[in-house]
Amino acid sequence: MFVSALVTEQVVGRLAGEAGLQLRLHEVASVMNLRTERFEGDQVVGGQINAEMAERRPIRYPVVYVYCEKISNMLREKFRSFSGTVRVVIEPRVSHDRSEEVEVRLQCLVDAVIAVLSASRGDWGSGMCYSGAYEVSYTPLRPGGRQYLKGAKVTFDVDVSAG
């Protein structure tokens, strides 16, 4: 049983799908009177890659990384091999040549991620359930990407009961 892989795959699918980030980015941008770039499903990547390593290979911004940060098997259910929580991180990163534009684009992308999560509350099937709670933290602006790079971490727990 690969709990982290199943949960990561589920989150990537929700973000990259039809009702995922592209749709939500369009909605958020229209409310904020912004023009958005096309966001493709391949810009959602499963895995934790630090910004310095990501810059060493061709990358198209914005990009969203999804990975498991922590797995806690609390054995809440007596006869299950896993019944606990999986902490998931969605890490959007934005790059642009103007620092003020980086901030606006990141806020828009984070709002779109939050909108996808809000629409995903409840039972995900396969023993996974998301309560709707999340936490957002931001990284400082730094050189990288097309000149400036900024990111955020959206962290949340998924309850899992399997095996």
Side-chain angles (χ1 to χ4, degrees), residues 7 11 15 66-67 69-70 85-90 113 117 124 130-135 153-158:
V7 174
V11 175
L15 293 171
V66 179
Y67 57 91
E69 184 176 68
K70 181 179 174 183
T85 59
V86 175
R87 173 143 314 135
V88 180
V89 175
I90 299 173
V113 167
L117 287 177
W124 289 2
Y130 171 56
S131 69
Y134 59 85
E135 181 177 297
K153 284 187 175 186
V154 180
T155 307
F156 60 98
D157 290 334
V158 176

Side-chain angles (χ1 to χ4, degrees), residues 27 34 50 81 85 102 115 163:
E27 291 172 354
L34 298 173
N50 74 23
S81 60
T85 59
V102 170

Side-chain angles (χ1 to χ4, degrees), residues 49-51 54 61-63 65 91-95 106 109 149-151:
I49 302 170
N50 74 23
Y61 286 99
V63 65
Y65 294 100
E91 194 172 326
R93 295 181 192 157
V94 175
S95 179
L106 183 61
L109 186 55
L149 179 68
K150 187 166 174 79

Side-chain angles (χ1 to χ4, degrees), residues 75-83 161-163:
L75 297 173
R76 292 184 199 139
E77 298 176 49
K78 191 174 184 178
F79 297 106
R80 297 265 185 197
S81 60
F82 186 93
S83 57
S161 177

Side-chain angles (χ1 to χ4, degrees), residues 37-108:
E37 300 173 28
R38 181 98 177 116
F39 191 89
E40 302 290 333
D42 66 346
Q43 289 171 270
V44 179
V45 180
Q48 182 178 12
I49 302 170
N50 74 23
E52 290 76 27
M53 289 196 57
E55 291 296 316
R56 292 183 185 160
R57 58 185 175 165
I59 189 167
R60 190 173 75 212
Y61 286 99
V63 65
V64 176
Y65 294 100
V66 179
Y67 57 91
C68 288
E69 184 176 68
K70 181 179 174 183
I71 300 171
S72 302
N73 188 359
M74 296 174 281
L75 297 173
R76 292 184 199 139
E77 298 176 49
K78 191 174 184 178
F79 297 106
R80 297 265 185 197
S81 60
F82 186 93
S83 57
T85 59
V86 175
R87 173 143 314 135
V88 180
V89 175
I90 299 173
E91 194 172 326
R93 295 181 192 157
V94 175
S95 179
H96 200 273
D97 59 350
R98 293 179 37 217
S99 61
E100 59 278 356
E101 191 69 25
V102 170
E103 188 68 38
V104 170
R105 288 173 186 237
L106 183 61
Q107 289 292 338
C108 190

